Amino acid sequence: MLAKLEQHRSPLAAPDAQRARHLLVVLQKTDNGAALDGVPYAEVLEAALKRRNKKLGDIAKAAIATDLAHGALVSWVMDDASRPMFERQTAIRKALSPLLSEHPKAITIALYGDAKDKASAAGIAVYAAWVNGAKLPTRKKKSEGEPLQSIRIYGHEDKSGYAALKGQAEGNVLCRELTMRAPNELTPGAYRKRILELAKTERWSVDEFDMKRLRKMGAGAFVAVAKGSDVDDAAIVHISYRPRGAKKKIALVGKGICFDTGGHNLKPAKYM
């Protein structure tokens, strides 16, 4: 479950800034001090930069996190729209890191600068918060905190609620969650059950080719590999989604591996 998103087109007002306990401030690339006009706690950032002997533009390379007098934590980053997208994503993700490391229930994101650049930066920040604020499986006895529950964003509003990015984030988190499952947890049978549950939620059509059906079809290569498991629960699963009015077909082929030895004859047991 991803954190709920609350959007505000207006800038972050003083009362809302005061209530925010974990705040990410995203500025636009500039060396002009005027870029801090109207930005809450600007004097805190200026003091932090002075102490570090840095300029405002330096936070485009590395974010700065500062504590506030009332106990809140603010992370400051400058987004440079001229940089490659991966570098922008990395900078904002790293700026979120000190906030998310405290496992907050809510994060506030405040955006400043040009409308077009703010829109791009907002998408990066929301996606990073969704993906990195989710809780993944762990074997540690001590709890690592609860997942992020709420994202409040000020300075930009996306009419779709970042629907496409949300779908990508859900897929990202699902893949990471499955990857972290141990092979005795995510067996082929358990994997197939997860697929059926997801298909029911998303209204997909599913056709399962189980081992009995595959043997009858003569799918020798697949059956031979599946013999590496004592449990006869491997399968090929065909999923389809046919929305009304669709004019094109897209086919994706992949494989989900629960446990792979790398070849019994290639690796001794120690290295599997």
Side-chain angles (χ1 to χ4, degrees):
M1 181 70 70
L2 299 181
K4 293 181 179 180
L5 180 62
E6 179 184 313
Q7 300 186 86
H8 302 269
R9 183 181 294 275
S10 58
L12 180 63
D16 294 317
Q18 186 69 25
R19 285 193 293 268
R21 310 305 294 176
H22 295 83
L23 173 61
L24 172 68
V25 177
V26 183
L27 306 171
Q28 295 303 316
K29 174 62 176 176
T30 179
D31 289 317
N32 183 2
L36 292 178
D37 288 349
V39 178
Y41 310 118
E43 69 282 357
V44 177
L45 174 59
E46 290 173 332
L49 290 170
K50 185 176 181 180
R51 186 177 72 247
R52 293 171 171 83
N53 195 28
K54 292 182 178 295
K55 297 180 180 180
L56 181 61
D58 290 334
I59 61 173
K61 301 175 183 177
I64 288 179
T66 58
D67 290 303
L68 300 180
H70 62 281
L73 177 64
V74 183
S75 184
W76 310 82
V77 67
M78 186 169 282
D79 177 48
D80 184 354
S82 67
R83 296 170 69 186
M85 179 57 73
F86 179 75
E87 292 182 8
R88 296 174 65 195
Q89 292 169 333
T90 300
I92 291 178
R93 175 182 57 79
K94 288 183 176 180
L96 276 167
S97 183
L99 304 176
L100 292 173
S101 67
E102 296 188 354
H103 304 286
K105 290 184 178 180
I107 277 183
T108 300
I109 301 171
L111 300 146
Y112 298 90
D114 176 80
K116 182 180 178 180
D117 292 339
K118 281 197 299 181
S120 178
I124 296 172
V126 168
Y127 181 83
W130 267 334
V131 171
N132 294 285
K135 190 173 184 179
L136 297 173
T138 180
R139 296 294 176 275
K140 296 180 180 180
K141 293 182 179 180
K142 185 178 179 180
S143 174
E144 294 186 342
E146 294 302 313
L148 184 66
Q149 297 177 15
S150 175
I151 301 170
R152 303 186 188 100
I153 188 163
Y154 291 82
H156 179 74
E157 182 179 6
D158 182 81
K159 293 182 179 179
S160 72
Y162 299 98
L165 284 179
K166 187 176 183 181
Q168 291 179 35
E170 288 173 340
N172 184 310
V173 172
L174 174 62
C175 287
R176 292 164 69 198
E177 186 257 311
L178 292 174
T179 301
M180 295 178 73
R181 293 289 180 189
N184 62 325
E185 274 188 346
L186 190 67
T187 62
Y191 201 160
R192 288 163 61 187
K193 184 178 179 182
R194 289 289 299 272
I195 293 172
L196 291 174
E197 291 172 351
L198 187 59
K200 184 177 180 181
T201 301
E202 302 296 334
R203 298 180 181 179
W204 298 335
S205 298
V206 178
D207 188 11
E208 287 191 303
F209 295 79
D210 60 15
M211 291 294 288
K212 182 179 179 180
R213 190 174 174 185
L214 290 168
R215 289 190 183 97
K216 189 175 181 180
M217 292 170 58
F222 185 95
V223 171
V225 172
K227 285 182 179 179
S229 172
D230 289 336
V231 184
D232 210 30
D233 61 352
I236 294 176
V237 183
H238 179 238
I239 303 169
S240 59
Y241 174 60
R242 296 180 174 86
R244 290 183 180 180
K247 297 180 180 179
K248 294 183 180 180
K249 293 183 179 180
I250 299 175
L252 302 175
V253 181
K255 62 180 179 179
I257 300 174
C258 299
F259 179 68
D260 186 9
T261 64
H264 286 286
N265 295 329
L266 298 178
K267 296 180 183 178
K270 181 180 178 181
Y271 298 100
M272 290 181 186

